[in-house]
């Protein structure tokens, strides 16, 4: 009886009145002890209201049914496909939508609906992958900031590939402590490309100079990332570097001259396709023949062999880096020893000598910067310490 009266009344009621009445009927369907006949009649009336011309009416239903596990499935499905102002609450919260439904809506929906899905709690990997693959930049940002989203490594990489040129995306991703090292490196690569294109467009640097500066900055950042990476994370980083053409002799030499044995071993293992335990034993064999054979198997330029041998010898003398901070910086003593040897050897190419001279300049400047910072810190500490005469007077 009540449902029949409702149907007759809504024909002449205003949109606002219809919305409130529909909201009440939806709540009654959820929480009232309706008989089976009344429940069926109420559901029929609510299904009819899906055709109401006013989105206020449909939004009233969506607000009531959005979080319910007992809502009528057919109504929830229809609301999820409605216009964004109606669908958002259902897309963001409804437990009745399965992965296939959400993936389809991501593929066919607009930015608003994609963002709503990206905010869902307990977002499964297939849905997250769909957003990473075809979602807007705004949806990708919502996905990154959703702590309940399950993103596979390839989804992270796809977001970087599609949206890594956007500062907001990069900043949000780099704040994540558990972001894979390979993904961090890909973000750094995107940033380097963006900055290089910017300075060339402004005519601040030539394309060649901008490319070289960006490449050097990317290599320094890669060392910083590698210094904090271990195990599978390191292997994933090295694999990414090889696939993107960044695992060069220059980068590997930089790793060794920074004392980063982990990156050096992982790089040689990747290039030589030998187990890393085997690499480690060969590197600790002080005979030059085994090291040279390893470098040759890794297909590194023969002109760099002398530089690698001298760097390894110095590492054995002074030790490898023992912290993330030291593993990310070129070691001046090592660089100067290698440069001196290569300058007197005669077998080094001009390109290698240029690279080593750049390393020497960089390591000298870094050492000077650290010295000045320590000096300033000591001065500040001394100025705040109580003076001897003041302590006696006290």
């Amino acid at each position: 009886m009540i449902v029949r009266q409702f149907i007759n009344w809504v024909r002449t009621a205003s949109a606002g009145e219809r919305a409130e009445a529909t909201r009440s009927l939806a709540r009654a369907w959820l929480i009232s002890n309706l008989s089976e006949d009344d429940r069926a009649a109420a559901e029929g009336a609510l299904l009819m209201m899906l055709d109401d011309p006013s989105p206020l009416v449909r939004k009233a239903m969506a607000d009531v049914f959005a979080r319910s596990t007992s809502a009528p499935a057919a109504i929830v499905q229809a609301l999820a496909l409605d216009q964004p102002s109606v669908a958002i609450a259902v897309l963001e919260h409804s437990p009745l939508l399965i992965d296939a439904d959400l993936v389809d809506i991501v593929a066919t929906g607009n930015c608003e609906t994609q963002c709503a899905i990206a905010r869902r709690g307990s977002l499964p990997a297939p849905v997250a992958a769909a957003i990473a693959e075809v979602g807007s930049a705004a949806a990708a940002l919502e996905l990154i900031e959703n702590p309940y989203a399950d993103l596979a490594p390839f989804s992270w990489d796809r977001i970087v590939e599609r949206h890594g040129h956007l500062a907001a995306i990069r900043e949000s991703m780099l704040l994540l402590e558990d972001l894979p090292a390979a993904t961090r490196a890909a973000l750094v690569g995107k940033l380097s490309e963006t900055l290089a294109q910017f300075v060339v467009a402004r005519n601040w640097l030539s394309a060649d100079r901008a490319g070289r500066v960006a490449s050097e900055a990317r290599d320094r950042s890669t060392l910083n990332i590698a210094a904090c990476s271990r195990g599978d994370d390191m292997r994933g980083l090295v694999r990414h570097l090889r696939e993107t053409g960044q695992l060069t002799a220059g980068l590997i030499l930089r790793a060794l001259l920074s004392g980063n044995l982990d990156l050096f071993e992982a790089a040689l293992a990747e290039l030589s396709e030998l187990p890393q335990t085997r690499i480690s034993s060969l590197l600790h064999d002080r005979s030059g023949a085994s090291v040279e054979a390893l470098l040759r198997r890794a297909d590194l330029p023969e002109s760099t062999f002398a530089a690698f041998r001298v760097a390894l010898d110095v590492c054995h003398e002074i030790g490898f880096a023992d912290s993330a901070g030291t593993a990310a910086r070129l070691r001046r003593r090592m660089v100067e020893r290698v440069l001196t040897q290569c300058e007197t050897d005669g077998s080094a190419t001009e390109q290698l000598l240029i690279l080593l001279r750049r390393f020497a300049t960089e390591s000298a400047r870094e050492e000077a910067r650290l010295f000045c910072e320590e000096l300033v810190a000591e001065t500040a500490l001394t100025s705040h310490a109580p003076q001897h005469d003041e302590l006696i007077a006290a």
Side-chain angles (χ1 to χ4, degrees), residues 53-112:
S54 174
L56 292 175
V57 174
R58 305 192 301 278
K59 187 176 185 304
M61 269 193 288
D63 290 342
V64 174
F65 289 143
R67 300 174 187 270
S68 174
T69 58
S70 304
I75 293 177
V76 169
Q77 288 280 348
L79 292 171
L81 298 175
D82 210 314
Q83 66 188 59
S85 63
V86 174
I88 282 175
V90 172
L91 294 176
E92 186 171 348
H93 301 295
S94 179
L96 300 182
L97 297 175
I98 63 174
D99 293 358
D101 296 330
L102 296 170
V103 169
D104 182 64
I105 294 170
V106 167
T108 58
N110 63 11
C111 178
E112 288 182 85

Side-chain angles (χ1 to χ4, degrees), residues 91-277:
L91 294 176
E92 186 171 348
H93 301 295
S94 179
L96 300 182
L97 297 175
I98 63 174
D99 293 358
D101 296 330
L102 296 170
V103 169
D104 182 64
I105 294 170
V106 167
T108 58
N110 63 11
C111 178
E112 288 182 85
T113 56
Q114 290 173 349
C115 286
I117 293 172
R119 291 192 294 268
R120 287 176 67 90
S122 185
L123 191 66
V127 184
I131 296 171
E133 184 65 33
V134 300
S136 65
L141 187 58
E142 294 280 7
L143 187 64
I144 294 166
E145 296 177 348
N146 183 351
Y148 308 107
D150 180 11
L151 272 84
F154 69 85
S155 294
W156 286 116
D157 294 340
R158 189 63 176 136
I159 292 173
V160 174
E161 184 180 346
R162 297 183 62 234
H163 306 298
H165 61 287
L166 300 174
I169 295 289
R170 291 195 304 269
E171 290 170 5
S172 293
M173 292 183 73
L174 291 173
L175 288 174
L176 301 173
E177 294 182 359
D178 57 348
L179 189 68
T183 305
R184 287 188 184 276
L187 281 172
V188 168
K190 279 288 185 180
L191 177 58
S192 299
E193 292 173 12
T194 302
L195 291 178
Q197 292 169 3
F198 177 77
V199 297
V200 170
R202 298 281 177 162
N203 291 320
W204 292 345
L205 292 175
S206 67
D208 290 343
R209 179 69 186 278
R212 192 184 76 190
V213 171
S215 177
E216 290 175 353
R218 183 187 61 204
D219 285 352
R220 288 194 294 271
S221 297
T222 299
L223 262 290
N224 278 298
I225 294 168
C228 302
S229 305
R230 298 290 183 275
D232 290 340
D233 205 29
M234 176 69 82
R235 285 187 285 274
L237 171 62
V238 170
R239 193 174 307 114
H240 164 78
L241 294 173
R242 185 181 188 184
E243 291 171 353
T244 55
Q246 297 176 59
L247 196 59
T248 61
L251 178 64
I252 298 171
L253 184 58
R254 176 187 281 272
L256 183 56
L257 292 173
S258 301
N260 192 332
L261 184 62
D262 289 340
L263 177 56
F264 183 61
E265 287 184 354
L268 292 180
E270 175 69 23
L271 293 174
S272 66
E273 299 181 350
L274 291 173
Q276 194 158 336
T277 53

Side-chain angles (χ1 to χ4, degrees), residues 1-7 25 29 34-49 75:
M1 181 65 71
I2 296 176
V3 175
R4 187 179 296 112
Q5 293 173 347
F6 170 84
I7 294 171
L25 185 59
W29 195 94
L34 298 175
S35 66
E36 287 299 321
D37 290 343
D38 286 342
R39 180 171 290 274
E43 183 174 351
L46 291 170
L47 285 166
M48 179 194 73
M49 298 308 293
I75 293 177

Side-chain angles (χ1 to χ4, degrees), residues 279-302:
I279 299 292
S280 182
S281 64
L282 288 173
L283 292 179
H284 285 86
D285 180 0
R286 303 299 292 272
S287 66
S290 59
V291 172
E292 186 171 312
L294 175 58
L295 296 174
R296 185 168 282 107
R297 181 179 176 111
D299 202 25
L300 293 174
E302 190 169 345

